[in-house]
């Protein structure tokens, strides 16, 4: 995820003895020198990179990411997509649990960090890092079982296009869970720190209108079960949860 609630960085299990013999064919990292115009312009370049350095710990691991993966429950053998994966806070959790995770990330330096992090994972053969965005994942239609995004919706440049794209790639019966922490809510544990740090650029990002996005998901053939603000891992969070209709429904 792009920004998550503050959580101490934790060591990860790694199989360093075989890293030099990693099967790179299992890791189809489509990273390039440029970002091909994906993602929000304020996430690119040195300014974006230095801004996110302030969130390094929370981007590495967070309670909200773990709560989202717990709730969506991608299981062994399923193909799951982490939209705006950042450096993999949710990706590595789902991969450890047996899912094949496609980490879609528009920002080059994020993909590079996640690519290195992947090498330290025992489940690295189940992690694929790709250059893409919510509006254009580059994935086949009806090809994945589960899609999630944590703290990336406000970075999307076209919410309507993103909703259509995520509905397109989900298989019938596939699950979707989108979550954006509401740092503007005074009840958020990091409200004051976030407000001070982001006062200079908050206006650059789009407001997340969950009801509007829910309507788009329904129009795209998804059954929306949640479109509201709720406490997720103790943080006020905007949540959208949906399932793609099957042929029998």
């Amino acid at each position: 995820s792009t920004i998550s609630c503050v959580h101490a960085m934790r060591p990860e299990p790694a199989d360093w003895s075989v890293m030099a013999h990693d099967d790179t064919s299992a890791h189809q990292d489509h990273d390039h020198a440029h970002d091909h115009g994906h993602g929000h312009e304020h996430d690119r370049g040195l300014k974006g990179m230095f801004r996110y350095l302030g969130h390094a710990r929370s981007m590495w691991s967070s309670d909200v990411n773990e709560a989202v993966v717990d709730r969506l429950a991608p299981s062994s053998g399923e193909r799951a997509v982490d939209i705006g994966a950042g450096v993999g806070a949710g990706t590595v959790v789902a991969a450890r649990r047996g899912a094949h995770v496609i980490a879609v990330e528009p920002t080059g330096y994020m993909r590079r960090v996640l690519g290195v992090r992947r090498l330290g994972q025992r489940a690295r053969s189940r992690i694929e890092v790709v250059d893409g965005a919510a509006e254009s994942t580059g994935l086949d239609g009806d090809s994945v079982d589960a899609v999630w995004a944590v703290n990336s919706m406000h970075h999307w440049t076209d919410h309507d296009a993103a909703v259509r794209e995520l509905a397109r790639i989900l298989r019938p019966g596939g699950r979707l869970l989108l979550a954006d922490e509401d740092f503007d809510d005074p009840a958020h544990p990091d409200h004051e720190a976030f407000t001070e740090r982001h006062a200079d650029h908050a206006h650059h990002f789009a407001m997340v209108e969950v009801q509007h996005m829910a309507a788009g998901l329904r129009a795209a053939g998804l059954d929306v079960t949640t479109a509201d603000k709720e406490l997720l891992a103790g943080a006020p969070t905007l949540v959208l949860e949906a399932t793609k209709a099957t042929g029998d429904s």
Side-chain angles (χ1 to χ4, degrees), residues 7-186:
H7 191 280
M9 191 180 298
R10 296 193 295 265
E12 300 179 317
D15 191 359
W16 299 99
S17 62
V18 295
M19 265 189 221
H21 306 287
D22 180 35
D23 179 8
T24 54
S25 65
H27 171 50
Q28 301 170 6
D29 184 353
H30 303 288
D31 191 12
H32 305 285
H34 302 289
D35 294 332
H36 293 176
H38 292 148
H40 201 289
E41 62 178 322
H42 293 284
D43 292 326
R44 304 177 200 157
L46 287 175
K47 185 176 181 180
M49 181 175 65
F50 284 121
R51 174 157 51 83
Y52 287 118
L53 284 175
H55 299 285
R57 288 189 176 185
S58 57
M59 292 171 66
W60 196 261
S61 64
S62 82
D63 291 338
V64 170
N65 271 279
E66 292 199 19
V68 165
V69 173
D70 285 345
R71 184 157 158 176
L72 191 63
S75 58
S76 180
E78 286 192 320
R79 296 185 80 229
V81 179
D82 185 356
I83 298 291
V87 298
T91 293
V92 297
V93 173
R96 289 173 193 158
R97 298 179 185 179
H100 177 93
V101 185
I102 304 164
V104 176
E105 172 53 51
T107 310
Y109 53 80
M110 298 282 194
R111 291 195 305 274
R112 287 187 282 275
V113 173
L114 179 50
V116 173
R117 183 180 191 181
R118 171 193 166 271
L119 294 176
Q121 303 295 313
R122 293 183 184 276
R124 60 187 170 276
S125 64
R126 294 194 295 272
I127 297 174
E128 182 179 350
V129 185
V130 302
D131 177 8
E135 300 85 353
S136 179
T137 64
L139 304 178
D140 292 337
D142 297 338
S143 65
V144 299
D145 303 288
V147 176
W148 79 87
V150 175
N151 291 328
S152 72
M153 282 190 285
H154 62 282
H155 292 262
W156 298 353
T157 57
D158 187 333
H159 285 169
D160 291 337
V163 161
R164 291 191 297 270
E165 173 69 357
L166 301 187
R168 182 188 70 82
I169 65 175
L170 271 175
R171 290 176 177 147
R175 295 106 59 206
L176 175 75
L177 182 54
L178 310 176
D180 252 30
E181 291 176 69
D182 186 0
F183 292 96
D184 291 328
D185 189 328

Side-chain angles (χ1 to χ4, degrees), residues 5-6 64 181-192 234-237:
C5 66
V6 175
V64 170
E181 291 176 69
D182 186 0
F183 292 96
D184 291 328
D185 189 328
H188 195 290
D190 300 315
H191 167 70
E192 290 187 11
T237 304

